[in-house]
Amino acid sequence: MTTGGSDVQAIEVSCPVSLLIGQKGPCVAVARLRSGQTPVVSFDATWSSTRPEVVAVDALGVANGRSAGQATVSASYRGREAAATLVVTAEDALRIDAGQAQQGDFRPGSTVTMWLQGYYSVVSAETGRLSLEISDQAGTIITTSPLTVAKGGDFFLLSSTFLVPQESMEVCRTAVLEVGSVTIAEPKSKSFALWCIPIRR
């Protein structure tokens, strides 16, 4: 959308409140126009970070956690500027993305595949072990062979192909990160529909 500079009364910026080291998240810039319209102008704005060594931001407004600390990300658009503060945390952690995927006919005895994606962060050890656990109401169906992940953080995508047990009511996915003697599992609750698939009969 093309707007004249005088049409833009203000812009507003929203970013993720916190990121793990290695995690990326979109910042969004919205213009408030004299007409009352509020177009998204993230791709047309000029982005900057007060501390790029803590939070880097690219030309499209995608913030990337680089090291522990706090930074302010700013967007300027047609003479207006706004900013948001982000905190980057250094911790052993998993954060799961909302969008999940699966493939197959989820009926007893069928072979199906489930995926889980998100970001991991390893701080307290040189490496961690990351795996995907598939379970139903009776317990664990299958766990993937653990992947060794290096200290720091990054995006992950895990998948498991398995046979649906005859008695399963639903099958659920959980990412498991082991760092030293600590085991972190996400999501903690299976009540959120995206993590589980009901079995059809």
Side-chain angles (χ1 to χ4, degrees):
M1 181 176 190
T2 305
T3 57
S6 60
D7 293 336
V8 181
Q9 294 184 309
I11 66 168
E12 296 174 1
V13 168
S14 60
C15 293
V17 175
S18 69
L19 294 171
L20 298 172
I21 293 173
Q23 185 179 7
K24 294 181 180 179
C27 293
V28 178
V30 174
R32 295 207 166 274
L33 306 185
R34 201 174 300 280
S35 65
Q37 292 177 298
T38 54
V40 175
V41 296
S42 303
F43 294 175
D44 301 312
T46 300
W47 294 90
S48 63
S49 169
T50 54
R51 299 180 68 196
E53 74 281 4
V54 174
V55 177
V57 61
D58 68 15
L60 302 179
V62 177
N64 184 359
R66 290 281 179 81
S67 61
Q70 183 172 303
T72 300
V73 169
S74 300
S76 59
Y77 177 75
R78 298 193 182 276
R80 306 289 183 182
E81 187 167 308
T85 299
L86 288 84
V87 174
V88 180
T89 58
E91 59 181 319
D92 298 327
L94 282 173
R95 293 205 182 149
I96 307 302
D97 285 354
Q100 310 308 334
Q102 55 276 331
Q103 184 177 6
D105 184 9
F106 282 75
R107 295 178 187 274
S110 293
T111 299
V112 297
T113 303
M114 296 177 81
W115 286 268
L116 193 60
Q117 66 183 42
Y119 287 87
Y120 73 85
S121 176
V122 175
V123 173
S124 66
E126 289 306 309
T127 61
R129 286 154 51 92
L130 186 61
S131 58
L132 178 64
E133 179 184 287
I134 305 294
S135 60
D136 64 7
Q137 75 282 357
T140 302
I141 298 169
I142 189 171
T143 301
T144 60
S145 297
L147 295 171
T148 299
V149 292
K151 188 173 188 175
D154 205 348
F155 172 84
F156 71 82
L157 176 61
L158 299 170
S159 70
S160 179
T161 299
F162 61 97
L163 199 67
V164 178
Q166 291 295 330
E167 62 281 357
S168 290
M169 306 298 291
E170 64 177 5
V171 288
C172 303
R173 64 200 117 189
T174 307
V176 179
L177 177 64
E178 298 169 77
V179 183
S181 61
V182 176
T183 299
I184 299 159
E186 288 290 347
K188 290 185 177 67
S189 168
K190 298 222 174 19
S191 61
F192 193 39
L194 284 175
W195 317 128
C196 299
I197 303 292
I199 303 305
R200 296 184 296 157
R201 282 181 159 74

